[in-house]
């Protein structure tokens, strides 16, 4: 029979032989290249985010050009039952309007925040000197000033000339509750429904007042609430996916070259 020392050498020899066979099997396996799918996916996502970055930069440049474009009177084409394409062409461009507010028909859109305080945007029908009625987002008020009785000084009467940005109607997300027209509580600015509530002379066209207008007596509503910035994190996403792709490529190379166990050595 085998002595203890001989038995140990035999076991070690068989163990080394088994590990060598495993290494060789892993290195020669056709499945070893499957691991390269992971870095390929990461590099694909990195390239996709790079394309998204260029697309977003184009949107930002376009919006900046619109906001800084010359101020013009509200064009007639926007008053002739404008279609969405016409409104989109004019969105974020500055215009001047002249007419008077119909304060008794104002809408409350909220909740909306301003400097970490919650409140509402006041959207009021505005009758132009041409007789057309549009919707004007006058700005933000705190909860305590939602009702007009608490901000009577800001309910300006008579004809006024104002400056604002053309806006498209709002669009709800999947989490946005249904508007409550009966209670005059609007979670999103539905220009079509608001225009119908005002009357047949109202056009579903929205103008956000800019901060360049004279300050109202009493201070509210606060104009200039248009969100003109676009988030752009695509460069970070590009670098993140690219870095992950590089790390996984190194792991895939070691696995392909040395096998799974050899890659840990």
């Amino acid at each position: 029979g085998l002595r203890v020392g001989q038995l140990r050498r035999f076991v070690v020899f068989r163990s080394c032989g088994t590990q060598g066979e495993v290494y060789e099997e892993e290195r020669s396996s056709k499945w070893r290249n499957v691991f390269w799918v992971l870095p390929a996916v990461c590099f694909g996502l990195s390239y996709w985010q790079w394309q998204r970055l260029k697309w977003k930069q184009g949107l930002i440049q376009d919006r900046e050009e619109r906001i800084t474009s010359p101020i013009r009177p509200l064009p007639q084409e926007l008053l002739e039952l404008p279609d969405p394409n016409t409104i989109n062409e004019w969105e974020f461009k500055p215009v001047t309007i002249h007419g008077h507010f119909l304060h008794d028909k104002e809408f409350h859109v909220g909740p909306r925040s301003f400097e970490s305080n919650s409140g509402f945007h006041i959207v009021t029908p505005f009758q132009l000197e041409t007789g057309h009625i549009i919707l004007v987002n006058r700005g933000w008020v705190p909860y305590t000033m939602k009702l007009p009785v608490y901000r009577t000084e800001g309910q300006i009467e008579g004809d006024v000339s104002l400056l604002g940005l053309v806006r498209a109607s709002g669009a709800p997300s999947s989490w946005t509750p249904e508007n409550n027209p009966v209670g005059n509580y609007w979670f999103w600015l539905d220009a079509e429904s608001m225009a119908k509530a005002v009357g047949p002379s109202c056009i579903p066209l929205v103008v956000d007042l800019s901060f360049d207008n004279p300050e109202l007596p009493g201070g509210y509503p606060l104009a200039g609430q248009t969100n003109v910035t676009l988030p752009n994190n695509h460069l970070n996403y590009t670098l993140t996916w690219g870095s992950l792709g590089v790390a996984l490529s190194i792991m895939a190379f070691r696995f392909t070259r040395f096998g799974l166990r050899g890659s840990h050595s």
Side-chain angles (χ1 to χ4, degrees):
L2 293 175
R3 295 181 180 180
V4 175
Q6 292 175 328
L7 180 60
R8 288 178 178 174
R9 288 193 295 272
F10 177 75
V11 171
V12 170
F13 174 77
R14 292 297 301 170
S15 176
C16 292
T18 302
Q19 290 182 4
E21 292 173 359
V22 171
Y23 293 160
E24 186 62 30
E25 182 179 352
E26 288 180 353
R27 293 176 60 184
S28 61
S29 173
K30 296 180 180 179
W31 293 100
R32 70 188 187 280
N33 293 323
V34 173
F35 198 81
W36 285 101
V37 172
L38 297 178
V41 170
C42 290
F43 286 130
L45 291 172
S46 179
Y47 178 75
W48 175 61
Q49 288 295 335
W50 176 255
Q51 295 297 319
R52 295 276 295 176
L53 172 64
K54 294 190 291 184
W55 166 76
K56 184 62 70 68
Q57 289 174 336
L59 288 182
I60 293 174
Q61 181 179 357
D62 177 70
R63 183 167 296 188
E64 290 176 350
E65 291 175 353
R66 287 169 178 260
I67 294 172
T68 57
S69 63
I71 301 173
R72 304 176 183 178
L74 191 65
Q76 186 66 28
E77 62 180 324
L78 288 176
L79 301 177
E80 299 173 349
L81 294 178
D83 60 88
N85 291 332
T86 305
I87 295 179
N88 289 336
E89 182 181 344
W90 278 89
E91 189 171 21
F92 293 108
K93 292 183 178 180
V95 295
T96 55
I97 55 177
H98 184 78
H100 62 275
F101 287 106
L102 305 177
H103 292 296
D104 59 322
K105 299 181 184 297
E106 74 175 22
F107 302 96
H108 307 143
V109 183
R112 295 292 185 271
S113 62
F114 177 74
E115 295 183 349
S116 301
N117 297 310
S118 190
F120 290 86
H121 282 182
I122 304 302
V123 179
T124 307
F126 187 85
Q127 187 163 18
L128 303 169
E129 55 189 352
T130 59
H132 298 90
I133 300 175
I134 63 174
L135 300 170
V136 172
N137 185 352
R138 301 185 62 204
W140 180 88
V141 297
Y143 266 109
T144 55
M145 292 187 175
K146 173 185 175 183
L147 299 179
V149 66
Y150 297 113
R151 45 182 167 84
T152 54
E153 293 180 350
Q155 302 295 86
I156 52 178
E157 301 290 344
D159 289 349
V160 291
S161 294
L162 300 169
L163 174 65
L165 301 175
V166 175
R167 293 303 311 276
S169 179
S173 68
S174 57
W175 302 99
T176 305
E178 292 289 334
N179 286 328
N180 181 12
V182 176
N184 195 13
Y185 199 120
W186 303 75
F187 292 96
W188 60 283
L189 203 162
D190 184 356
E192 293 284 346
S193 298
M194 289 180 175
K196 291 179 181 178
V198 174
S201 299
C202 187
I203 301 170
L205 174 67
V206 182
V207 172
D208 285 359
L209 293 188
S210 69
F211 60 85
D212 295 327
N213 291 287
E215 184 177 351
L216 293 173
Y220 294 102
L222 290 174
Q225 300 299 313
T226 309
N227 184 12
V228 297
T229 59
L230 289 172
N232 186 11
N233 299 313
H234 296 292
L235 180 58
N236 292 334
Y237 299 152
T238 300
L239 296 176
T240 298
W241 284 114
S243 300
L244 186 58
V246 171
L248 290 175
S249 294
I250 296 174
M251 295 174 62
F253 172 77
R254 290 180 62 85
F255 176 66
T256 303
R257 185 79 177 269
F258 305 108
L260 184 60
R261 290 170 178 78
S263 62
H264 296 302
S265 59

